[in-house]
Amino acid sequence: RKEVEQDPGPFNVPEGATVAFNCTYSNSASQSFFWYRQDCRKEPKLLMSVYSSGNEDGRFTAQLNRASQYISLLIRDSKLSDSATYLCVVNKNNNDMRFGAGTRLTVKP
Amino acid sequence: NAGVTQTPKFRILKIGQSMTLQCAQDMNHNYMYWYRQDPGMGLKLIYYSVGAGITDKGEVPNGYNVSRSTTEDFPLRLELAAPSQTSVYFCASMGGGVITEAFFGQGTRLTVV
């Protein structure tokens, strides 16, 4: 089993749609969780950290369920500029940081 | 503030050649990482370091070596290049702590022919 697994995608949605991405992790000792965004042929950049209580940043909401070892990202009111690959990242207690394979999102006019 | 700098940006190697991918950060970060990303795939951890003098294997370390003699530099060495090592290589650094952001270099596109 992979350490971090994500929805395979791709997701193709119209502008204004709400889209959700899921991620599961295998190591129950994992301590911190993130969503990164990667544009085509660019380096990944932090989108948001994921806190146990769930957190929101504008149109983006991240949730963590430690019992189920599950992380989610919800994007509301999708914009064309949201088109990218979204990477789920899990940081184990020794700062061994693992990435999921990514989910590609295309937002269409 | 340069952040994380990787060199070279592009390289073509012949099978069996060796090379070193350079990575330097100027943020005084303890943690540094090397990842490879194959087309359409996520990032796979090759090696990481939690501080000068300390390195650990990630999930795909075979065919690579690293060293961390200073806080700033974390070079990745390919000794006998193989076509399977054709990939984009990303270096990252992180300050440490539980909730902290990793900063990436712009990547090195390596082709082995």
Side-chain angles (χ1 to χ4, degrees):
Chain A
R1 182 184 173 187
K2 291 181 182 177
E3 292 218 28
V4 183
E5 295 203 65
Q6 292 187 238
D7 282 347
F11 285 66
N12 298 302
V13 303
E15 269 188 293
T18 294
V19 61
F21 304 139
N22 301 317
C23 172
T24 58
Y25 60 96
S26 61
N27 190 326
S28 59
S30 298
Q31 287 202 336
S32 53
F33 310 89
F34 309 88
W35 285 100
Y36 276 71
R37 171 191 168 129
Q38 186 176 26
D39 293 304
C40 188
R41 301 177 76 83
K42 296 285 190 180
E43 71 274 22
K45 292 184 178 178
L46 180 67
L47 176 66
M48 59 196 302
S49 303
V50 186
Y51 301 111
S52 296
S53 56
N55 48 299
E56 188 174 306
D57 183 2
R59 297 180 294 109
F60 299 84
T61 300
Q63 295 277 355
L64 167 64
N65 184 323
R66 284 190 183 271
S68 302
Q69 296 179 203
Y70 169 93
I71 306 157
S72 66
L73 176 68
L74 183 77
I75 305 175
R76 291 182 299 279
D77 189 22
S78 299
K79 311 291 185 190
L80 296 176
S81 57
D82 293 335
S83 297
T85 296
Y86 291 83
L87 301 161
C88 175
V89 181
V90 175
N91 199 349
K92 296 194 282 188
N93 56 1
N94 56 354
N95 279 296
D96 176 340
M97 191 167 57
R98 301 293 175 106
F99 282 70
T103 302
R104 184 176 297 177
L105 171 67
T106 301
V107 181
K108 299 186 175 180
Chain B
N1 192 341
V4 179
T5 303
Q6 284 185 242
T7 56
K9 286 187 170 49
F10 305 93
R11 183 72 185 267
I12 298 175
L13 275 183
K14 293 184 178 179
I15 293 171
Q17 286 185 320
S18 62
M19 77 164 293
T20 299
L21 281 67
Q22 301 291 346
C23 177
Q25 53 93 7
D26 61 0
M27 297 173 280
N28 200 32
H29 284 169
N30 287 326
Y31 300 93
M32 295 188 75
Y33 304 82
W34 273 107
Y35 293 89
R36 60 175 286 172
Q37 186 173 35
D38 298 330
M41 304 294 287
L43 280 71
K44 292 185 179 178
L45 181 64
I46 305 172
Y47 272 95
Y48 69 106
S49 168
V50 300
I54 306 169
T55 61
D56 283 291
K57 294 179 180 179
E59 56 188 313
V60 290
N62 292 343
Y64 306 94
N65 279 299
V66 293
S67 60
R68 184 93 182 272
S69 56
T70 66
T71 300
E72 293 78 19
D73 300 298
F74 191 40
L76 178 71
R77 178 87 177 158
L78 283 71
E79 290 294 349
L80 290 171
S84 61
Q85 294 177 305
T86 294
S87 192
V88 179
Y89 292 83
F90 287 104
C91 177
S93 75
M94 189 167 72
V98 176
I99 303 290
T100 185
E101 178 178 358
F103 294 88
F104 284 80
Q106 292 185 310
T108 296
R109 295 185 179 278
L110 176 67
T111 302
V112 182
V113 296

